[in-house]
Amino acid sequence: MQSEGSTPFRAAGRSAYVSSAVSAFGIAFLVLLYVGIFASIEPLGVFGPLNDLFVLVQYTLALPVVVAFHRILRPQSPRLSLVAMLVAVVGIVGVVVFQLLLITGAMSFLEQVAYASASILLVGVWIVITGFLGRRSGKLQLSVAAIILGALYFGYPLWAYRVGRQLLAGDRASTE
């Protein structure tokens, strides 16, 4: 049996912390971009591509958390945990692919925004499913507010920080 304080869970916890920080910067860049758009301050347009890059990194860093959550929740709810993991992976891969297409110029913002948004929505669905599974099983100590905020793009940094803290604490029972 492998405890949740093991290396994969510590790595997922660290990944969640970094994802939280990257996301916070990405959101700041997005806000600056829109300030530039609405205030007609052209130099702030540089923050759009920075946000795109940070979103790509943020969601890539969430992959170890997806695997860790599945391992934590699988004993109590094997099917739903698996479905949630698959939803998250599809969402994350979608975000990464569509952000890469945007960054490389293969798609314009208007062409990719709906696909990237749908992919982010899938990740939000995963956050909600795993949050409530974790609360029900007692394996994850996340408030309903933290779960809902995490599913919304702007609340992700707080959610990821709390998840990282819990994964690094390793105070839950064995997962296998």
Side-chain angles (χ1 to χ4, degrees):
M1 285 195 184
Q2 188 169 12
S3 76
E4 291 178 28
S6 68
T7 302
F9 290 98
R10 285 192 308 270
R14 285 188 214 101
S15 190
Y17 273 145
V18 176
S19 181
S20 172
V22 169
S23 174
F25 279 104
I27 290 169
F29 294 152
L30 183 65
V31 169
L32 287 170
L33 170 68
Y34 280 104
V35 166
I37 290 170
F38 293 125
S40 299
I41 304 171
E42 221 173 288
L44 292 181
V46 71
F47 290 109
L50 285 173
N51 169 262
D52 298 331
L53 180 62
F54 275 61
V55 166
L56 187 149
V57 172
Q58 163 195 341
Y59 283 97
T60 300
L61 287 166
L63 280 170
V65 178
V66 171
V67 174
F69 273 18
H70 175 60
R71 290 184 59 193
I72 290 167
L73 300 171
R74 179 178 55 204
Q76 286 76 31
S77 191
R79 287 190 183 122
L80 189 53
S81 176
L82 178 63
V83 167
M85 181 180 70
L86 295 174
V87 165
V89 169
V90 168
I92 290 169
V93 167
V95 170
V96 169
V97 166
F98 292 114
Q99 289 301 107
L100 279 172
L101 291 171
L102 176 63
I103 291 167
T104 61
M107 287 182 98
S108 72
F109 175 77
L110 291 176
E111 291 172 323
Q112 74 78 247
V113 69
Y115 300 114
S117 297
S119 297
I120 290 170
L121 179 64
L122 287 175
V123 176
V125 168
W126 164 74
I127 289 172
V128 170
I129 292 170
T130 56
F132 285 103
L133 280 178
R135 283 179 55 82
R136 187 179 69 198
S137 70
K139 294 284 190 170
L140 298 171
Q141 305 303 318
L142 295 168
S143 68
V144 172
I147 294 166
I148 293 168
L149 281 173
L152 303 172
Y153 180 71
F154 287 96
Y156 179 91
L158 175 64
W159 173 86
Y161 176 81
R162 289 186 177 178
V163 164
R165 189 175 64 203
Q166 287 188 35
L167 289 170
L168 288 172
D171 59 359
R172 292 169 304 277
S174 152
T175 61
E176 294 183 38

